[in-house]
Amino acid sequence: MCFRPASASRPIECPNCGMKVPVVGGVKQKKCPKCKADLTQVEAKPEEKPEDEAGTEK
């Protein structure tokens, strides 16, 4: 059985073309496979929940 924590698979988004590049095994790519932009300074963004779904019950 394989267990992968949710935080381990957050993709990074290319600042140039917007493509989401997966981070596999904690290793991220240095260049975007689509537009070849530099991804070394880009950090993975934590997933944000919309405000109306973030734990508010009616």
Side-chain angles (χ1 to χ4, degrees), residues 1-5:
M1 185 183 215
C2 178
F3 174 75
R4 184 173 21 169

Side-chain angles (χ1 to χ4, degrees), residues 10 20 44-54:
R10 300 220 193 275
K20 292 188 179 183
K45 294 181 181 178
E47 291 184 18
E48 298 176 2
K49 294 181 181 179
E51 290 183 22
D52 43 334
E53 292 182 15

Side-chain angles (χ1 to χ4, degrees), residues 11 13 18 20-21 30 34 37 39-40 44 51-52 56:
E13 188 172 330
K20 292 188 179 183
V21 182
K30 294 180 182 179
K34 186 175 181 182
L39 298 176
T40 56
E51 290 183 22
D52 43 334
T56 57

Side-chain angles (χ1 to χ4, degrees), residues 11-41:
I12 56 175
E13 188 172 330
C14 176
N16 191 29
C17 69
M19 179 180 177
K20 292 188 179 183
V21 182
V23 178
V24 180
V27 178
K28 64 180 186 176
Q29 295 183 14
K30 294 180 182 179
K31 290 187 177 182
C32 174
K34 186 175 181 182
C35 69
K36 309 296 184 209
D38 182 31
L39 298 176
T40 56
Q41 302 298 320

